[in-house]
Amino acid sequence: LDAAGGGDFTTLQQVVDGTVDGDFVLVRPGDYENPTSYPGATFGNKALSIVADGTGPVDFPSVRIVNVPAGKVFVLRGLRFVNDFPLGVDLFRLQVDGSAGLVLIEDCLVEGSSEAFVGLPTVALNVASANVALTSCELVGPPAGDDTLSTLGGPPGNWALRTLAAHVSLTDCSLTGGA
């Protein structure tokens, strides 16, 4: 994957459409913002390894990973999930759900969006009904803007990590939530 055009793919959507189960995608430095859809890309029903080449920052928009099959591993390594979706509906920066297989996230930065949607909190990493292992990652929930949600009976602020019926392990990670 190379945003400058030097690879097999230039966008995350091309990776979604052009890879098969078990592929390894080496990502060159660049900004892979996809301003036309939310989330930026949805990877489903296959295991991939998406790995930065280590020569510079790799910035992704929101990404969703779903239905990684049992016995398979989906790997994200050396990536930054930091781009805000331009319409302010970026509730989850990175979302993993409905996966019996393992999603392995290593050496990544995941920042929750600074843009709230209708007063709802944003989440850097949302994990629901999935198995996720994080190693050497930084998860950042941005500071809260207003207390709209708290007036509706919910908690104020934003979260670095939100889980629901999930198995999540953290090793050498930093989590910071908004307040």
Side-chain angles (χ1 to χ4, degrees), residues 129-141:
S129 300
N131 302 302
V132 174
L134 294 104
T135 303
S136 301
C137 292
E138 183 178 359
L139 306 179
V140 180

Side-chain angles (χ1 to χ4, degrees), residues 31-33 59-62 80-85 90 93:
D31 185 346
Y32 295 91
E33 185 174 354
D59 294 342
F60 279 179
S62 297
R80 300 182 339 162
F81 299 88
V82 296
N83 290 332
D84 276 341
F85 186 71
D90 209 356
R93 177 72 71 220

Side-chain angles (χ1 to χ4, degrees), residues 110-125:
V110 185
E111 291 182 347
S113 174
S114 59
E115 299 291 328
F117 179 63
V118 195
L120 296 176
T122 62
V123 179
L125 173 61

Side-chain angles (χ1 to χ4, degrees), residues 36-106:
T36 60
S37 66
Y38 175 79
T42 298
F43 295 91
N45 302 309
K46 58 185 165 185
L48 299 173
S49 292
I50 302 175
V51 178
D53 74 358
T55 61
V58 174
D59 294 342
F60 279 179
S62 297
V63 169
R64 184 173 180 223
I65 301 166
V66 298
N67 301 326
V68 175
K72 302 280 186 164
V73 179
F74 194 111
V75 177
L76 299 169
R77 184 177 300 130
L79 309 171
R80 300 182 339 162
F81 299 88
V82 296
N83 290 332
D84 276 341
F85 186 71
L87 299 179
V89 294
D90 209 356
L91 298 179
F92 309 118
R93 177 72 71 220
L94 180 57
Q95 182 172 353
V96 180
D97 55 53
S99 294
L102 175 65
V103 176
L104 179 60
I105 305 169
E106 299 177 326

